[in-house]
Amino acid sequence: MTTLSIGTAVPDFEAAATGGKTLTLSDFLGKNVVIYFYPKDNTPGCTQEGIAFRDHIDEFNAFNTVILGVSRDSVKVHEGFKCKQAFPFDLLSDQDETLCNLFGVIKMKNMYGKQVRGIERSTFLIDEQGVLRHEWRGVKVKNHIAEVLQELKILTQ
C-alpha cells in the first residue's frame, strides 16, 4: 500500500519516458503535475482516458499543469500508443512497478474469472512544490477529466 498521503511531498522519482527521455518529478517543480495510472496501452478504456486528457490539454496548460500517463508497458509500446493517439504528453514505463508501488495502485482484480495483479485506474494531482493535493482511485473514465480540472481550478485560485 502507498505511503503517500494528501498534503505530503511526493518523493522524487525517475522513470523511462517516451521520446527517449528519463523524467523525474523534480523536472516539473514550478508546475502542477497530473499523473494517471492505467492498466494497458491500446485497450478501449485506457485509450478513451488518454484521449480525454489529450482533448483537454489546453485547459491543463492554462492551469500550468503537466500530464503524465503511467502503465507497466514498455517504452516501445508506449511510443506506438502515443503516436497512434497523438498524445501531447509523455507516457512513463513502469515495468518494475516502482511508481505503481509508490502510489499504491497495484490491486488484485478479477479477469475472466481469475485473480490477477493489475493497475487500478488512478489519478494523482501534485502541486507546483511537489506536494500531493488530491487522488482519485478506481477511476471511471466518464466525467473524470471534469473532476480533475475542477480540483485544479480550486488549487490555483
Side-chain angles (χ1 to χ4, degrees):
M1 197 63 191
T2 181
T3 57
L4 297 178
S5 57
I6 303 297
T8 62
V10 176
D12 200 14
F13 59 77
E14 181 177 283
T18 46
K21 297 179 266 195
T22 299
L23 297 178
T24 64
L25 182 59
S26 58
D27 291 338
F28 302 106
L29 284 176
K31 291 187 175 282
N32 298 305
V33 179
V34 169
I35 299 178
Y36 77 97
F37 288 83
Y38 62 96
K40 191 160 181 55
D41 290 350
N42 299 301
T43 57
C46 299
T47 300
Q48 192 178 25
E49 184 177 24
I51 287 170
F53 278 110
R54 177 197 73 196
D55 290 352
H56 290 86
I57 196 67
D58 290 341
E59 292 163 81
F60 285 102
N61 288 340
F63 287 119
N64 191 34
T65 302
V66 173
I67 306 293
L68 298 172
V70 183
S71 80
R72 297 181 296 182
D73 292 295
S74 69
V75 171
K76 182 178 180 184
V77 173
H78 276 342
E79 291 289 2
F81 186 45
K82 179 181 176 177
C83 181
K84 182 177 179 182
Q85 301 303 332
F87 293 153
F89 49 82
D90 285 306
L91 301 177
L92 307 180
S93 177
D94 193 31
Q95 290 183 295
D96 65 2
E97 299 180 358
T98 300
L99 291 177
C100 289
N101 290 326
L102 175 63
F103 286 89
V105 299
I106 297 290
K107 304 287 181 201
M108 292 307 292
K109 300 161 76 172
N110 283 317
M111 189 170 288
Y112 307 112
K114 291 185 178 185
Q115 286 280 312
V116 295
R117 287 177 71 252
I119 292 177
E120 177 185 45
R121 194 179 306 280
S122 304
T123 302
F124 300 87
L125 172 58
I126 301 167
D127 72 13
E128 296 174 349
Q129 289 77 42
V131 174
L132 181 62
R133 291 298 175 193
H134 202 87
E135 63 180 30
W136 295 263
R137 294 182 180 274
V139 166
K140 303 291 184 227
V141 174
K142 187 177 180 181
N143 299 322
H144 180 55
I145 299 303
E147 295 169 354
V148 176
L149 286 168
Q150 180 61 32
E151 280 301 318
L152 270 168
K153 184 178 182 181
I154 292 166
L155 180 67
T156 58
Q157 283 181 341

